[in-house]
Amino acid sequence: MAQNESEKATVESASHSLDSSVTHVQPPQKQEAAPQGELQRVFSYGHGESALPENKIEEAFENLEGDWEIDPENARNWSTRKKWTTVCILSAYTFVSPLASSMMAPGIPQLAFKYGITDATIVAMTLSIFLLSFAIGPLILAPLSEMYGRTWILHIGNIFSIAFSLGCAFAPNTGTFIGMRFLAGFSGSAPIAVGGGSVGDLFSAKDRASAMALYSLGPLVGPVVGPIAGGFIAQEIGIKWVFIIIAIACGMVSAFAIPFLRETYAPVIRFRRATKRGDLENFIKANPHLVAEHGNKLHFLWQNLYRPIEMLTRSIICFVLSLYLAFLYGIYYLMFATFAAFFNTTYGFSPGIGGLVYLGLGIGFFSATVFGAKFADGVYKKLSEKNNGQGTPEMRIPALFFGSFFVPIGLFWYGWSAQAKTHWIMPIIGSAIFGFGMMTSFLPVQLYLVDAFQYAASATAAAALFRSLLGFAFPLFGQQMFDAMGIGGGNSLLAGLAIVLGIPFPVWLYFKGEKMRARNPLTRTSHANK
């Protein structure tokens, strides 16, 4: 009993050196090493040091073992140049897959004509079906990345995206096209499943915001840049070439990423090194808790499938924050689905010129990334200093206050200027204000979920699942809503809901979040970040 208490104290002490501090940690019990064949099966994946660990309690225990924290192969110890090269590659991967989600948006009328689609819901589905599989993919690809490494999940997913994009280009009918779009969404979700964990492998909590902002920019800016190029492509050389050019862009990223991207996930690096050195047995003996926790791959996959749902249903914090992000994401894709028709009928914009109207969103995102990351970092560090250098997840929330005020302002501005048919720049300015508020809200919520939850990867997966599902659903009913309420009334409704979801709860969370987390077993072990 005394020995167990001693081990427990040791783990608790070590855990305070982590980015996500862990208290009251009971280390897994030691046990005999499994036979070599079983070990090979078990340790084809691992679990370890990351901003998005599967389990922060185990992460604390693993950090006691060996000299990994000072090992030059640890991604945290790479040179600044190597780290940022990796982040740039991750951002490129994360840019091209969402690019495919919306590049076709200005050419939707051409696509409907090509396949003879007359139903408005089916027309919207050709765009948004991508997001349905984009939501499901990370639930499967994230655990696979922990089994086989993050790098090859990224590479293989991108290669399949090339194939499915070409499938969209040459699809003979509507059903085949929608099927190819669905599969392209699944393969394209690999960077979303893996990239956040890779950023966490590279940077500590206090240095993570800028890298996370660059990584997060891809899923938001990719869908903006896509229509700008897609409008002119569809107008000049046809809708088929939109998908061919997507495939070419994916190929160019792979040509750079495959030779230069290196594995960042600690357990996979350590396992591969032990295998190469013929020291696998000693590695296994030094990490017995991995056998105890992850002895069955199917069980591991099942945990990663059901745990995000558990997060949404058992944590009010995760549910409301994820709902707010999902709501913003749904509005975002609703704009994609309706911009082309609105600016064509109201202002007579051709598909090429119509693609340029998405620049408003892009400008909003870029300005929020530059300003929002610095603001979030500055507020977090300042509040941490006032708390004796100890940060808490709630210190991420003030940046959310700031962003959430701009969302309804942008929606009111866009909706009523569009309703009044003022100069075309006015609704574009409104969309830019919305984009600024959305991106400024997106970053602190992501960081809060990483900091606050014991199963941080599952918390971010839950948010990604929720927002992609609403991104799929909103365009299916959006046009009907605007037809019934008008574009001003419809956007006013969305702005009102944004106020309800985005302002009262974050204020409550800032003051009461620590007590709320203390009552929930999913969050109570994660209380602070240095």
Side-chain angles (χ1 to χ4, degrees):
M1 183 69 177
Q3 183 179 359
N4 286 344
E5 288 299 315
S6 175
E7 290 177 357
K8 179 177 177 180
T10 303
V11 174
E12 289 177 353
S13 176
S15 70
H16 287 290
S17 68
L18 297 173
D19 301 317
S20 298
S21 300
V22 183
T23 58
H24 305 297
V25 179
Q26 181 65 42
Q29 298 296 314
K30 303 285 183 182
Q31 57 178 273
E32 294 297 321
Q36 182 72 17
E38 176 69 4
L39 296 176
Q40 180 70 30
R41 182 179 67 79
V42 172
F43 290 102
S44 59
Y45 65 97
H47 173 78
E49 211 168 277
S50 169
L52 297 173
E54 183 199 351
N55 186 336
K56 292 181 179 178
I57 297 176
E58 277 197 34
E59 181 185 43
F61 183 72
E62 181 170 289
N63 285 340
L64 299 178
E65 299 163 349
D67 298 319
W68 180 247
E69 288 189 354
I70 59 173
D71 195 306
E73 292 190 35
N74 185 341
R76 292 278 177 92
N77 300 324
W78 289 357
S79 67
T80 300
R81 180 178 179 179
K82 188 175 180 180
K83 284 184 178 182
W84 282 98
T85 298
T86 302
V87 171
C88 288
I89 293 173
L90 292 171
S91 300
Y93 266 140
T94 313
F95 172 76
V96 293
S97 60
L99 186 76
S101 71
S102 65
M103 197 169 179
M104 60 170 280
I108 286 177
Q110 286 188 30
L111 190 77
F113 178 77
K114 176 182 177 180
Y115 293 116
I117 307 171
T118 56
D119 188 292
T121 301
I122 300 299
V123 171
M125 186 176 290
T126 62
L127 174 72
S128 66
I129 190 67
F130 186 98
L131 292 175
L132 183 59
S133 56
F134 207 68
I136 299 168
L139 301 181
I140 299 171
L141 297 179
L144 287 178
S145 76
E146 296 188 0
M147 294 178 186
Y148 304 109
R150 306 195 197 279
T151 301
W152 283 105
I153 294 296
L154 287 167
H155 294 332
I156 293 170
N158 197 55
I159 290 168
F160 273 105
S161 291
I162 295 172
F164 295 136
S165 295
L166 292 174
C168 290
F170 297 100
N173 52 54
T174 305
T176 304
F177 178 85
I178 290 176
M180 289 293 104
R181 283 281 289 172
F182 180 87
L183 294 172
F186 186 91
S187 62
S189 69
I192 307 302
V194 173
S198 296
V199 170
D201 295 336
L202 293 162
F203 296 95
S204 62
K206 64 180 182 296
D207 302 318
R208 191 180 304 143
S210 295
M212 189 68 81
L214 181 60
Y215 160 74
S216 299
L217 195 60
L220 298 175
V221 173
V224 174
V225 174
I228 295 171
F232 287 105
I233 294 167
Q235 177 178 301
E236 300 300 327
I237 55 179
I239 188 68
K240 175 179 74 174
W241 280 92
V242 169
F243 302 101
I244 294 174
I245 289 173
I246 290 170
I248 292 171
C250 291
M252 291 173 63
V253 173
S254 282
F256 179 74
I258 290 175
F260 291 106
L261 186 63
R262 296 290 177 264
E263 183 59 55
T264 62
Y265 190 52
V268 171
I269 296 171
R270 296 169 73 185
F271 172 75
R272 290 174 181 172
R273 183 170 64 180
T275 303
K276 185 176 180 180
R277 293 175 178 176
D279 195 32
L280 184 62
E281 187 173 346
N282 289 333
F283 175 78
I284 300 306
K285 289 179 180 179
N287 297 269
H289 60 290
L290 294 180
V291 178
E293 183 69 15
H294 300 308
N296 185 292
K297 286 186 180 181
L298 289 177
H299 175 68
F300 183 64
L301 279 170
W302 170 247
Q303 282 185 319
N304 281 271
L305 287 169
Y306 90 82
R307 193 176 286 136
I309 307 300
E310 181 185 33
M311 293 283 185
L312 290 173
T313 55
R314 292 187 57 198
S315 170
I316 187 65
I317 294 176
C318 185
F319 177 80
V320 176
L321 291 180
S322 298
L323 175 62
Y324 183 56
L325 286 191
F327 180 74
L328 299 184
Y329 210 64
I331 297 171
Y332 180 44
Y333 270 86
L334 178 58
M335 288 182 173
F336 283 130
T338 57
F339 268 14
F342 167 72
F343 281 95
N344 175 262
T345 56
T346 305
Y347 300 104
F349 285 4
S350 65
I353 300 299
L356 296 176
V357 303
Y358 298 89
L359 275 173
L361 288 167
I363 291 169
F365 290 150
F366 275 112
S367 57
T369 301
V370 173
F371 179 80
K374 290 182 179 179
F375 180 76
D377 260 348
V379 170
Y380 182 78
K381 290 177 180 177
K382 191 170 183 178
L383 291 174
S384 298
E385 288 170 2
K386 289 183 178 180
N387 194 36
N388 298 318
Q390 191 79 1
T392 66
E394 284 68 40
M395 292 176 185
R396 306 286 189 188
I397 297 300
L400 177 58
F401 298 162
F402 180 76
S404 63
F405 279 104
F406 285 90
V407 171
I409 293 172
L411 290 173
F412 282 124
W413 188 311
Y414 166 71
W416 287 106
S417 62
Q419 179 87 9
K421 299 182 180 180
T422 57
H423 189 275
W424 54 264
I425 195 64
M426 296 301 288
I428 293 176
I429 291 173
S431 70
I433 296 171
F434 168 77
F436 180 86
M438 178 178 173
M439 184 63 185
T440 310
S441 301
F442 189 90
L443 181 60
V445 172
Q446 287 286 92
L447 292 171
Y448 184 94
L449 294 175
V450 169
D451 291 348
F453 284 85
Q454 176 180 329
Y455 296 98
S458 295
T460 56
L465 172 67
F466 209 166
R467 69 174 180 262
S468 292
L469 288 176
L470 289 198
F472 163 72
F474 267 49
L476 302 183
F477 67 79
Q479 190 58 56
Q480 291 89 327
M481 178 183 71
F482 290 142
D483 289 343
M485 302 180 66
I487 196 166
N491 278 281
S492 294
L493 173 63
L494 297 175
L497 291 173
I499 293 171
V500 171
L501 292 174
I503 296 178
F505 184 78
V507 173
W508 174 264
L509 187 62
Y510 180 71
F511 291 104
K512 301 294 184 180
E514 189 169 355
K515 291 182 179 179
M516 293 171 69
R517 288 187 290 109
R519 295 194 296 267
N520 193 314
L522 298 173
T523 57
R524 66 186 179 197
T525 56
S526 313
H527 64 81
N529 288 301
K530 289 186 178 179

